[in-house]
Amino acid sequence: MSSIFEGFLSTPEALDLFSERKIVEAMLRFEASLARAQASVGLIPDSAAQSIIGTCKVDLFDVAKIVRESVRAGSIAIPLVKSLKETVALFNKEAAGFVHFGTTSQDVVDTALALITREALGMIAKDVHKAAAALLALAGRHAADPVLARTFMQPASVTSFGLKCAGWAAPLVRSLQRLQATAANALSVQLGGAVGTLAQMKKGNKRLGPQVTALMAADLKLKEAPFAWHTQRDEWVALACEMALLVGSLGKIARDIALMAQFEVGELAEPLEPGRGGASVMPHKRNPVSCMVALAAAQRVPQRVAALLATMPQEHERALGNWQAELAEWPGLLMSVHGSARAMAQALSGLQVDTQRMRANLDAVRAELPADVVYEWFNPALAQHAATLTRSQVALATNALAALELP
């Protein structure tokens, strides 16, 4: 899922999470859960379910072969199910006929992606939480430290660096709140068979599909969708949109820090660590590499979300091309989001703040202006007004952050 140019813009954990092996493993979790639920309601024999569950171990499968065969099949699910049936048959020939019973390829793929996405969101949330907490700590520490407020890239007035940090933190806290709510709706079991009716999952006149869905949702800790969402992608794409907003907020922080870290400004610097931010031929350089990663994500993520929005007009009960395009975009989206979140969490946790340089830059502006302008717009005492607002904003954001449930 990655290239030499992708790896340093994401994280090892995210790259591994969307590896071929992890995706196949998540699909096997779906198949095991399906068999377990169907046996619980008497839809398939318990002995068959046990054979299927015992075989749903990724080490038993040739993942590379399954991936190669998916090219001709048009879906990763088709060669996986074929291989699962063949492997189950080696141990229990009768059980093979109950593999993937009453379901379809999109059911297994969408549910597998929901499982992987939940794990990715957990990693993202932890890093964003860390970034927001670091910003709130900086805000409290520098609540009254004056710094130039800048508009149109020019000095505008005086604020406090603490208020600037509180302003960076607030959108991150709001994004975490929205992501939590949106994920609760989007991360659902996909189960509906070819046309979403679960028609095959019945015993006599008794429809067992809803029970199977409920059992799988509980087992996999996903939402129990009221019906199949094969071509109803609003909740899923809404989650992507929320991630894009988060990346935009992280990119805004990165842009500001990068500007304040320029040599001519010198007010901030990313943490100083061996091998971090060096140059190939200029040993004096100190490149803001965390900001670089976050800004790269802010450039790329909107394009991925635009592609996801474009895939939403899907045909009837199963899409031809649009769903497949969506699948191809999704891993790259989450890998970029986690890369941005991790980069800024690392930068903000060790951000170096030069309050003396901030004051020197302010004094340099004051020296160039008439006294009445200096008094009205560039009086360092204005930072005290900002400090009062900073402390109230920090209290609100801290309480909101504490109320969030991290995965």
Side-chain angles (χ1 to χ4, degrees):
M1 296 303 299
S2 65
S3 72
I4 192 171
F5 298 110
E6 181 86 47
F8 69 90
L9 295 177
S10 186
T11 65
E13 299 95 319
L15 293 170
D16 179 64
L17 194 57
F18 285 97
S19 66
E20 294 170 349
R21 179 183 174 87
K22 285 296 178 69
I23 290 172
V24 168
E25 188 174 42
M27 293 169 71
L28 290 170
R29 284 183 64 191
F30 168 91
E31 296 293 348
S33 183
L34 176 68
R36 189 178 296 113
Q38 290 178 333
S40 295
V41 299
L43 198 57
I44 69 173
D46 187 65
S47 59
Q50 293 306 314
S51 293
I52 295 168
I53 294 165
T55 309
C56 285
K57 295 178 173 60
V58 70
D59 291 335
L60 298 177
F61 296 88
D62 186 340
V63 173
K65 180 172 180 286
I66 290 170
V67 172
R68 287 195 304 271
E69 291 179 352
S70 71
V71 177
R72 179 176 296 179
S75 170
I76 186 70
I78 294 171
L80 173 71
V81 172
K82 178 176 178 289
S83 183
L84 179 56
K85 287 182 177 181
E86 291 171 349
T87 308
V88 168
L90 294 175
F91 304 98
N92 185 342
K93 191 172 182 179
E94 290 73 24
F98 295 103
V99 169
H100 200 67
F101 176 69
T103 187
T104 192
S105 57
Q106 186 166 355
D107 292 342
V108 59
V109 173
D110 275 349
T111 304
L113 273 186
L115 291 169
I116 292 173
T117 298
R118 181 181 63 200
E119 195 168 341
L121 287 173
M123 298 190 302
I124 291 165
K126 286 178 182 176
D127 279 318
V128 176
H129 194 284
K130 182 179 178 181
L135 283 170
L136 293 174
L138 286 167
R141 194 177 310 138
H142 299 284
D145 289 336
V147 68
L148 284 171
R150 298 171 172 99
T151 63
F152 293 102
M153 305 284 284
Q154 301 298 316
S157 184
V158 176
T159 184
S160 77
F161 182 62
L163 186 58
K164 199 170 187 76
C165 290
W168 287 339
L172 300 188
V173 175
R174 291 194 294 267
S175 271
L176 285 173
Q177 291 171 324
R178 290 194 304 267
L179 272 176
Q180 189 169 292
T182 308
N185 291 324
L187 300 179
S188 302
V189 169
Q190 178 74 282
L191 193 67
V195 293
T197 62
L198 296 167
Q200 286 182 283
M201 295 191 199
K202 64 179 181 179
K203 198 169 185 179
N205 293 324
K206 189 175 182 182
R207 293 178 63 247
L208 299 174
Q211 294 180 51
V212 172
T213 304
L215 287 167
M216 289 185 68
D219 181 37
L220 298 173
K221 295 179 174 59
L222 295 173
K223 180 185 174 184
E224 179 187 349
F227 38 70
W229 44 282
H230 289 133
T231 52
Q232 299 176 29
R233 312 304 285 184
D234 56 314
E235 299 283 14
W236 193 240
V237 177
L239 181 58
C241 291
E242 288 297 346
M243 287 190 277
L245 289 173
L246 168 62
V247 168
S249 295
L250 290 166
K252 185 270 188 292
I253 299 169
R255 181 77 71 196
D256 284 354
I257 290 175
L259 290 170
M260 296 174 75
Q262 291 182 107
F263 177 80
E264 296 82 358
V265 180
E267 295 172 346
L268 297 177
E270 288 190 8
L272 183 60
E273 300 170 1
R276 181 188 184 94
S280 58
V281 294
M282 291 177 277
H284 58 278
K285 285 192 72 181
R286 187 172 172 184
N287 297 320
V289 291
S290 290
C291 293
M292 175 194 71
V293 171
L295 288 167
Q299 290 291 318
R300 302 173 71 212
V301 164
Q303 317 309 318
R304 294 196 182 278
V305 175
L308 294 174
L309 288 165
T311 67
M312 287 187 69
Q314 299 188 8
E315 303 85 1
H316 302 301
E317 283 70 47
R318 180 73 57 80
L320 178 65
N322 282 14
W323 174 56
Q324 292 75 17
E326 176 196 291
L327 294 177
E329 294 292 342
W330 196 261
L333 168 66
L334 282 151
M335 286 190 286
S336 290
V337 176
H338 192 228
S340 176
R342 172 64 56 82
M344 295 315 297
Q346 291 174 337
L348 292 167
S349 295
L351 190 67
Q352 296 183 358
V353 181
D354 191 337
T355 55
Q356 291 184 345
R357 187 63 176 264
M358 291 176 180
R359 182 57 187 260
N361 289 338
L362 171 58
D363 288 343
V365 172
R366 286 163 56 85
E368 298 293 325
L369 296 173
D372 58 333
V373 176
V374 168
Y375 179 79
E376 183 176 2
W377 295 102
F378 295 100
N379 186 341
L382 292 171
Q384 295 298 328
H385 298 291
T388 302
L389 181 57
T390 299
R391 294 185 182 101
S392 65
Q393 292 298 308
V394 167
L396 288 171
T398 300
N399 290 337
L401 203 59
L404 288 166
E405 295 180 11
L406 282 179

